[in-house]
Amino acid sequence: MARAILKFIRVSPIKARLIAREVQGMNAEYAIASLQFTPNKAAGIISKVIASAVANSGLDPVDAVITSARVDKGPVLKRFTPRARGSASPKHKPTAHIMIEVAASTKGDK
């Protein structure tokens, strides 16, 4: 089992978790191919982390299965936008930590 971790990435963890749940348990090659056509910022990022985890394992993408895809909340960047009459509104820019674990597939996996 091998893993890859990407920390402090500027993507909402709530939105990234939706993509991570889709690929969990999938074949790595199939997951990378399906994420290529997913119109989401997190899909491209998670695809690269999957490729890194497969490279760390030393397996071919055909022989690897994603055993765990986890997206944790990172620190929030707090910024302010100027508003009318000298006031300001807060803007929260969330970050996420993405962790992907891959393992060698058994013959029954698809």
Side-chain angles (χ1 to χ4, degrees):
M1 183 181 303
R3 68 180 178 183
I5 300 172
L6 180 63
K7 289 186 162 189
F8 305 105
I9 192 70
R10 265 285 292 122
V11 66
S12 171
I14 295 170
K15 294 176 184 177
R17 279 186 198 120
L18 294 172
I19 305 299
R21 285 189 192 123
E22 286 182 11
V23 298
Q24 195 166 4
M26 262 190 203
N27 180 302
E29 184 182 40
Y30 183 70
I32 291 169
S34 64
L35 288 175
Q36 184 178 1
F37 299 105
T38 305
N40 191 319
K41 179 182 177 182
I45 295 166
I46 290 174
S47 175
K48 288 182 181 180
V49 179
I50 292 170
S52 178
V54 170
N56 290 344
S57 70
L59 299 168
D60 287 331
V62 179
D63 302 329
V65 172
I66 301 167
T67 56
S68 173
R70 198 173 80 202
V71 179
D72 296 328
K73 183 180 174 187
V76 177
L77 301 174
K78 293 174 182 166
R79 303 291 183 257
F80 292 96
T81 302
R83 301 303 291 228
R85 300 171 65 185
S87 64
S89 292
K91 272 194 174 177
H92 298 286
K93 298 186 173 191
T95 62
H97 306 316
I98 300 170
M99 189 194 77
I100 305 288
E101 287 184 352
V102 296
S105 67
T106 58
K107 293 188 179 189
D109 291 339
K110 285 193 176 183

